[in-house]
Amino acid sequence: MPLSIETKCLHLEAEAKEEPACKHYGSISFPIYQTATYAHPGVGKSTGFDYSRLQNPTREQLEKIVCQLEGGTDAFALSTGMAAITLLMELFKPGDHLIVDSDLYGGTIRLFDNVSLKNGIQFTRANCSSDDVESLITPVTKAIYVETPTNPMMNVTDIAAMAKIAHDHNLLLIVDNTFMSPYFQNPLELGADVVVHSGTKFLAGHNDTLAGFIITRNTEINERLRFLIKTTGSGLAPFDSWLVLRGIKTLGVRMEKAQSNAVKIALWLKTQKSVTKVIYPGLEEHPGHEISKKQARGFGSMVTFRLTSTEKALSVLEKVRLIKYAESLGGVETLITYPTTQTHADVPEELRLKNGITPETLRLSVGIENVDDLIADLEQALN
């Protein structure tokens, strides 16, 4: 009988059925192999590890755990989420064309506009949750790149439908699954070819380390990425790999608690006179609500909301106390972010406004505190 998603956060399925590949003196916590290099048993012989830029046992264990959570055949742990996306762009060459969602994390837009474009890769932006993406495909299009839900406007793309479009035209579908985590959503199961994560967020879960992941089922892509990760040297360090391994052990309970809090906060925000819009896929009026129910096991814990004025938004940022005004998301602590000057500061203003990121917009990453305490803090900040 296959292991449940909750159990897979703690145990490798293969090791639940047979002897572990490596014994650690009975250690329950997988060891940190804090080494740069490895001794060879003899000439032409190897322990399976030669140099930590190529691979490290702690990083390998983490990659196996993330790989099984996403249902892939290989996973790659990198130093940050942006390192993961940067490595992914090395799959493409000058002249290649990608269709990308217009509402992406600001760092991704910055990379595409300032590095990938300079390297000869062309991009067309679209609202992949509603636009006719198929009409944008050209003879040199190689991939479609989406976040779902998007950051920060929470647009939901039908992954299975987008995968069909991609595969009908021999394209790759790349899905950034950071907002949902593999606990709630598995894009590979829906037809995506590549999944990317900022592991800093829900996977690590404690705002204490940076990490990124790429997961695929494609043998050719796996081989190319394994070559690229050892060549570029962007693999995750042993200690950070261990921190993320530790974080993933509580992924299930964290996601459930944070989502429960987010639902209550979203409903409460809807009752506030100074709040003009609440954007959360778990609300029935959200245009992506039914798609979310079809393709995911939950709605996540990210809530975006808009206030009556810029002054009101800035006032809330100044007045929150328990909730921290900080970048990032997905940790146990609740964070509030101002996309205009933080996560999306480098996005051209015209694109920000087109996507709905107005100066009145705030993004909330709901944590696992007592929800009444969080609502009390928001209430005093709003009123």
Side-chain angles (χ1 to χ4, degrees), residues 116-178:
S116 303
L117 196 62
K118 177 262 297 180
N119 291 339
I121 301 172
Q122 304 298 315
F123 298 92
T124 297
R125 291 191 177 101
N127 183 335
C128 292
S129 66
S130 60
D131 290 351
D132 180 7
V133 171
E134 194 164 17
S135 67
L136 304 174
I137 296 171
T138 75
V140 294
T141 305
K142 302 298 180 183
I144 300 170
Y145 184 106
V146 303
E147 292 176 4
T148 183
T150 60
N151 183 358
M153 299 311 296
M154 309 302 291
N155 299 324
V156 176
T157 295
D158 187 325
I159 298 172
M162 196 59 64
K164 185 178 187 307
I165 292 171
H167 298 155
D168 284 348
H169 295 271
N170 296 314
L171 310 180
L172 296 176
L173 175 61
I174 302 167
V175 178
D176 185 328
N177 196 31
T178 298

Side-chain angles (χ1 to χ4, degrees), residues 54-247:
L54 282 68
Q55 189 53 293
N56 173 279
T58 316
R59 190 173 91 209
E60 182 181 72
Q61 179 74 1
L62 172 61
E63 289 174 345
K64 287 179 178 178
I65 289 284
V66 173
C67 188
Q68 77 169 3
L69 288 174
E70 280 290 11
T73 55
D74 204 356
F76 305 83
L78 296 110
S79 56
T80 65
M82 288 312 304
I85 299 170
T86 301
L87 190 78
L88 200 54
M89 288 301 106
E90 293 298 323
L91 295 176
F92 306 103
K93 63 182 186 302
D96 286 351
H97 171 250
L98 277 70
I99 298 168
V100 302
D101 206 301
S102 58
D103 185 37
L104 297 174
Y105 166 56
T108 305
I109 294 173
R110 182 173 59 235
L111 173 73
F112 290 170
D113 286 356
N114 295 282
V115 180
S116 303
L117 196 62
K118 177 262 297 180
N119 291 339
I121 301 172
Q122 304 298 315
F123 298 92
T124 297
R125 291 191 177 101
N127 183 335
C128 292
S129 66
S130 60
D131 290 351
D132 180 7
V133 171
E134 194 164 17
S135 67
L136 304 174
I137 296 171
T138 75
V140 294
T141 305
K142 302 298 180 183
I144 300 170
Y145 184 106
V146 303
E147 292 176 4
T148 183
T150 60
N151 183 358
M153 299 311 296
M154 309 302 291
N155 299 324
V156 176
T157 295
D158 187 325
I159 298 172
M162 196 59 64
K164 185 178 187 307
I165 292 171
H167 298 155
D168 284 348
H169 295 271
N170 296 314
L171 310 180
L172 296 176
L173 175 61
I174 302 167
V175 178
D176 185 328
N177 196 31
T178 298
F179 267 25
M180 294 300 281
S181 91
Y183 182 78
F184 280 142
Q185 182 171 270
N186 300 119
L188 295 179
E189 302 285 348
L190 298 163
D193 299 284
V194 180
V195 173
V196 64
H197 283 275
S198 172
T200 308
K201 312 305 193 296
F202 291 105
L203 287 169
H206 292 78
N207 291 318
D208 58 7
T209 190
L210 304 177
F213 294 94
I214 304 170
I215 310 98
T216 83
R217 286 179 172 178
N218 184 302
T219 301
E220 181 183 353
I221 294 176
N222 289 342
E223 291 175 354
R224 290 176 66 189
L225 289 174
R226 192 57 66 188
F227 173 82
L228 287 166
I229 196 172
K230 76 174 183 180
T231 303
T232 60
S234 52
L236 190 61
F239 183 68
D240 298 285
S241 296
W242 182 83
L243 283 173
V244 182
L245 268 174
R246 185 181 64 167

Side-chain angles (χ1 to χ4, degrees), residues 82 100-114 125 147 150-153 327 337-359 363:
M82 288 312 304
V100 302
D101 206 301
S102 58
D103 185 37
L104 297 174
Y105 166 56
T108 305
I109 294 173
R110 182 173 59 235
L111 173 73
F112 290 170
D113 286 356
N114 295 282
R125 291 191 177 101
E147 292 176 4
T150 60
N151 183 358
M153 299 311 296
E327 293 199 43
T337 298
Y338 192 47
T340 296
T341 61
Q342 290 183 298
T343 56
H344 291 68
D346 291 333
V347 176
E349 183 179 19
E350 180 182 357
L351 179 59
R352 277 204 313 268
L353 295 175
K354 181 181 178 182
N355 289 342
I357 306 172
T358 67
R363 190 195 73 187

Side-chain angles (χ1 to χ4, degrees), residues 207 302 323-331 333-337 363-367 369:
N207 291 318
M302 301 299 300
I323 297 168
K324 302 306 178 187
Y325 169 32
E327 293 199 43
S328 200
L329 59 102
E333 300 90 357
T334 298
L335 304 180
I336 194 166
T337 298
R363 190 195 73 187
L364 198 63
S365 172
V366 181
E369 302 95 338

